[in-house]
Amino acid sequence: MRTRSTAAVALACALLIAGCGGGDKFAGSTSISACMDPAEARSPDIRRSLPALRGAPVCYRRQQVREGGFHWTFHILEHTRDPDGPFWVLPHDNENAAFDAAVHALLTYGGGLLAVDAGGNRTYRGQDPNRNFSATRGESRLCSGQRRPAPRYTRAILEHYRGRRGPILALHNNGDGHAGNGGYGSISMHRTGPMLSHWPGAAGMGSRALRDEDNLIFVAGRRSAYADTGMRRRIASLNAAGLNVIHKQVTSRTFDCSLSDYVALHGLGEYFNLEAEHGARTTQVEMVDRLMAVLGIRPLDSRSRGNPFLN
């Protein structure tokens, strides 16, 4: 008899907190369409990707979430032959390289992706989609960037991970540098902050682009990375693959209603956010492949031949 993993149990509990059990305190509705041809999607990102998707075993679903005065639309692509592969969340609708990397991941490793529709913008009606994860009013009050509690939104996204064995995955793009060193991005290997620790990738293990301050993997946990042996091992494996890593220790004081913080605060399992500079499609695709290799996830067309990153 198959037993559920600790992460799966934690996810189920978090979904209950977010409104699965009993009456939902926050009025709204959630719906999801049947499988359609990706050509039917009203998404500029998907339409831009149609040449790559043509002939692939991929279906499209449109999910609608109404909650707290917001009407959210999620565009979902699923690999129909290997639907249980890695699943990627793309909260920001102005990050084209991230979307292109997600399509590469979908076609190469199976699984799926969910992209939040914000009309091509980073925010939707003044709300950052990646600062919209909370289960209760009390939790939402911890976050200056969230306008209203969003248990239904949170649940709708996390439901796509129910029963999956892999980690929770996200893709983002970021500006060049950060305000502290003359740049305009918000995250960088050179940017310090409360509860952040920085772990540079091993020199000589990747391209020059991988060593850029803006190209990194963001992880989070309740404990300091220095005190978490399992996290330290994971970071070391990512560094050995040439990947920069930033770790955030999440507490009630540092919680910001982001997906990474929500996953860490509720103990939902491993989380990886692949950050790359805007336009750095090739680098972000390389980061996807290197992360998959570290996690032992092989490309669909080479599973019988082994993975060159792992050999």
Side-chain angles (χ1 to χ4, degrees):
M1 181 177 179
R2 182 179 296 177
T3 59
R4 299 175 73 185
S5 68
T6 303
V9 172
L11 177 56
C13 291
L15 292 175
L16 286 170
I17 293 171
C20 284
D24 197 334
K25 296 179 181 180
F26 307 100
S29 63
T30 304
S31 63
I32 189 167
S33 72
C35 253
M36 298 182 282
D37 188 308
E40 297 184 55
R42 284 173 273 175
S43 159
D45 290 315
I46 293 178
R47 299 197 70 81
R48 188 181 72 249
S49 303
L50 286 178
L53 296 169
R54 189 169 293 117
V58 172
C59 86
Y60 165 73
R61 296 180 190 273
R62 183 168 54 250
Q63 188 169 12
Q64 310 278 342
V65 177
R66 296 177 182 271
E67 177 180 51
F70 290 95
H71 180 187
W72 297 96
T73 298
F74 304 150
H75 300 292
I76 299 162
L77 294 175
E78 300 170 328
H79 200 288
T80 56
R81 291 182 190 167
D82 292 271
D84 296 327
F87 192 89
W88 304 82
V89 175
L90 296 98
H92 294 138
D93 198 13
N94 66 330
E95 300 176 350
N96 291 348
F99 192 91
D100 293 347
V103 170
H104 162 81
L106 169 70
L107 297 178
T108 306
Y109 302 97
L113 68 88
L114 180 154
V116 179
D117 191 329
N121 302 307
R122 179 181 176 85
T123 62
Y124 174 64
R125 297 180 60 189
Q127 175 64 56
D128 184 333
N130 197 42
R131 294 293 185 271
N132 199 45
F133 293 88
S134 65
T136 64
R137 291 189 188 279
E139 194 168 69
S140 178
R141 290 192 187 104
L142 299 174
C143 309
S144 60
Q146 189 177 46
R147 292 170 56 188
R148 298 181 180 89
R152 190 177 294 276
Y153 173 98
T154 301
R155 181 170 72 249
I157 290 178
L158 288 176
E159 277 281 3
H160 291 281
Y161 288 95
R162 188 193 287 267
R164 290 184 186 273
R165 300 176 65 183
I168 294 173
L169 300 163
L171 284 159
H172 287 265
N173 292 138
N174 196 35
D176 185 16
H178 67 95
N181 66 2
Y184 63 96
S186 59
I187 189 168
S188 159
M189 288 295 290
H190 298 161
R191 180 175 181 263
T192 60
M195 302 295 189
L196 295 180
S197 56
H198 302 73
W199 309 81
M205 292 303 297
S207 64
R208 181 178 179 181
L210 285 181
R211 298 193 296 276
D212 188 281
E213 65 176 285
D214 304 306
N215 302 327
L216 57 96
I217 293 184
F218 191 93
V219 297
R222 292 295 301 271
R223 293 193 290 161
S224 162
Y226 298 99
D228 188 332
T229 303
M231 180 65 78
R232 283 290 302 276
R233 283 199 297 265
R234 180 61 86 193
I235 291 173
S237 66
L238 294 169
N239 288 162
L243 297 165
N244 294 325
V245 179
I246 292 181
H247 175 274
K248 178 183 178 183
Q249 183 180 356
V250 180
T251 69
S252 59
R253 286 190 170 188
T254 63
F255 180 69
D256 61 9
C257 288
S258 62
L259 178 57
S260 59
D261 282 23
Y262 188 90
V263 170
L265 196 68
H266 289 276
L268 304 186
E270 285 196 291
Y271 166 94
F272 301 95
N273 165 27
L274 278 69
E275 287 270 359
E277 190 175 326
H278 278 288
R281 178 192 180 280
T282 300
T283 300
Q284 198 154 22
V285 165
E286 182 179 0
M287 292 171 69
V288 167
D289 290 339
R290 286 175 179 265
L291 174 62
M292 294 295 98
V294 168
L295 298 178
I297 301 173
R298 297 176 176 176
L300 299 177
D301 63 357
S302 65
R303 287 180 180 171
S304 62
R305 298 183 281 109
N307 189 313
F309 284 100
L310 300 178
N311 295 336

